[in-house]
Amino acid sequence: MHTRRSFLASASLLPLAGCLSAPSAGTPTSGLPGGNDSAGKTRPEGTGGPAVTLASVDDEPDFPLDIEVTVTEPVATEDHPPGLAVEITNEGDETVAIGEARAAVFEYQYSEGGYLALLPADGEYAAEPGCWRLTEGVGTTDDYLTVTLEPGASHASDLELYAAGVEADACLPVGEHRFATTIARYPDPDDLGAGESVDWGFSVLLE
């Protein structure tokens, strides 16, 4: 069950494509879809984009939560972008609340540097097929949502990986990209003032 804590009523938007600054020198980026990169052969033949693998995953937090990240769609095609899934399981003996519910499972999260965005897989977004670069903003609310987990219960999300418009003609940028978020655990689901949190993340490799 999700609980809504309304701290702000304004909307939060992902930046429009092209609004972020261009990558600094040496930052790898990919070209337009269709075929392999002539130098690094970064695009698997017959696909619309690079393949994604997990490069690193942080250690489990000190409190009893198990966090699992998996790759569900390893290669971008003309039909879908790369996909990942994040699942948080309450391994403790007591019912707890997890917050913020969306950020905890990496929904609407940017990679460090802002080159990639993870969005819920059941949404519809303005993006170029094959390239998977966002061409319009994606709206969210600033509400603080929590999810209540009984012992052994899980909170999960299927995610899709999009380019966040780092260049006017950039698709999914090759290279290693890290995602990080803050996950809060509240032993008393009715008291969000008494909890503990951890900064947790993982890195993906696009090549």
Side-chain angles (χ1 to χ4, degrees):
M1 179 179 68
H2 290 270
T3 301
R4 183 185 301 270
R5 304 280 175 161
S6 298
F7 294 135
L8 295 172
S10 62
S12 175
L13 296 178
L14 292 175
L16 293 175
C19 291
L20 297 176
S21 60
S24 59
T27 302
T29 57
S30 60
L32 294 173
N36 293 339
D37 179 89
S38 59
K41 296 189 181 301
T42 58
R43 293 181 178 275
E45 185 176 356
T47 74
V52 61
T53 57
L54 287 173
S56 65
V57 178
D58 288 359
D59 294 335
E60 297 292 339
D62 292 335
F63 42 79
L65 288 180
D66 176 70
I67 311 171
E68 184 176 358
V69 181
T70 57
V71 175
T72 57
E73 292 285 356
V75 178
T77 72
E78 291 293 321
D79 298 322
H80 60 75
L84 294 92
V86 177
E87 182 176 66
I88 299 176
T89 301
N90 177 16
E91 293 191 320
D93 298 326
E94 304 292 336
T95 298
V96 298
I98 303 299
E100 195 273 338
R102 295 164 296 187
V105 288
F106 290 84
E107 293 181 354
Y108 306 103
Q109 298 299 296
Y110 277 114
S111 64
E112 294 179 355
Y115 295 99
L116 297 172
L118 284 170
L119 302 178
D122 58 359
E124 295 185 4
Y125 314 104
E128 300 174 16
C131 179
W132 304 115
R133 176 173 58 88
L134 294 172
T135 58
E136 294 182 7
V138 178
T140 65
T141 67
D142 285 330
D143 296 329
Y144 189 88
L145 304 180
T146 63
V147 58
T148 301
L149 297 181
E150 297 180 354
S154 298
H155 172 46
S157 182
D158 291 323
L159 305 165
E160 292 178 332
L161 192 65
Y162 290 86
V166 295
E167 288 184 333
D169 62 349
C171 298
L172 290 165
V174 298
E176 185 170 333
H177 306 269
R178 176 170 169 80
F179 289 88
T181 191
T182 299
I183 302 172
R185 174 184 178 273
Y186 303 98
D188 182 354
D190 296 321
D191 182 8
L192 300 189
E196 50 190 344
S197 63
V198 63
D199 293 329
W200 193 90
F202 59 92
S203 295
V204 297
L205 180 63
L206 286 167
E207 59 181 357

